[in-house]
Amino acid sequence: MEDNEIIIEHPNRDKAASKATKATVLLLLLVSVALMLIVTIGGWDVLQGAKAVQIAYILIYLIMAFYVSRWNRGVLPVAAALAILLVIFAAVAVPGWLDRDQTGFAQPSIDAGVLAMVTALIIPVQILLIGFAMRGFNQAWNVEIERAVDHGPSHSAPQPA
């Protein structure tokens, strides 16, 4: 008597569209981290209360990128929700950086106009992240199919003569 081996397959992960969506979400999360790092490091001296929020966002996005790389579908709605909040934060921050580009304000280590542009770039990246995260969520990466391994004909069965 042989034990039946079971293989768990994820058919939706093998699709080209799913692989492309996963790669795009990963790329968008990492680009977001890079843009936030530029703003955080470049404006560190003049950031008021946003330092902790920006560091938290960077860490959370890195953690989400790790889970997306492992096909975890559950973080995708969280990524979309956080991206919505980040769009709002960035939209509010751009005019502040532009105001700081005038005389009489302390200048950050990176020019305030450049930081305004980088902050403005965060907005379309987050909008793309929202769209691709929801696309990935709808692709059902979590679907599993159990399949028994077929070892061929059993040796205990009588052989035809």
Side-chain angles (χ1 to χ4, degrees), residues 72-161:
N72 187 318
R73 174 180 171 241
V75 298
L76 295 175
V78 176
L82 289 176
I84 291 169
L85 290 175
L86 191 53
V87 165
I88 295 168
F89 292 152
V92 169
V94 170
W97 286 120
L98 291 174
D99 289 344
R100 187 164 285 286
D101 201 20
Q102 300 172 5
T103 57
F105 286 97
Q107 284 298 311
S109 57
I110 295 178
D111 184 61
V114 173
L115 290 177
M117 182 185 68
V118 172
T119 305
L121 281 174
I122 290 174
I123 296 170
V125 170
Q126 296 314 295
I127 291 170
L128 287 170
L129 178 59
I130 294 164
F132 278 98
M134 290 298 86
R135 180 180 179 191
F137 189 77
N138 288 332
Q139 289 173 339
W141 297 350
N142 61 323
V143 172
E144 296 178 345
I145 296 174
E146 292 183 1
R147 182 175 60 87
V149 176
D150 185 20
H151 291 292
S154 175
H155 295 298
S156 62
Q159 299 296 328

Side-chain angles (χ1 to χ4, degrees), residues 6 27 33 36 45 53 57 63-64 100 116 135 150 155 159:
I6 301 291
L27 177 68
V33 167
M36 287 188 285
D45 296 333
V53 173
Y57 253 93
I63 292 167
M64 286 191 300
R100 187 164 285 286
R135 180 180 179 191
D150 185 20
H155 295 298
Q159 299 296 328

Side-chain angles (χ1 to χ4, degrees), residues 38-51:
I38 292 169
V39 172
T40 303
I41 293 169
W44 187 261
D45 296 333
V46 295
L47 290 174
Q48 298 290 322
K51 292 177 185 176

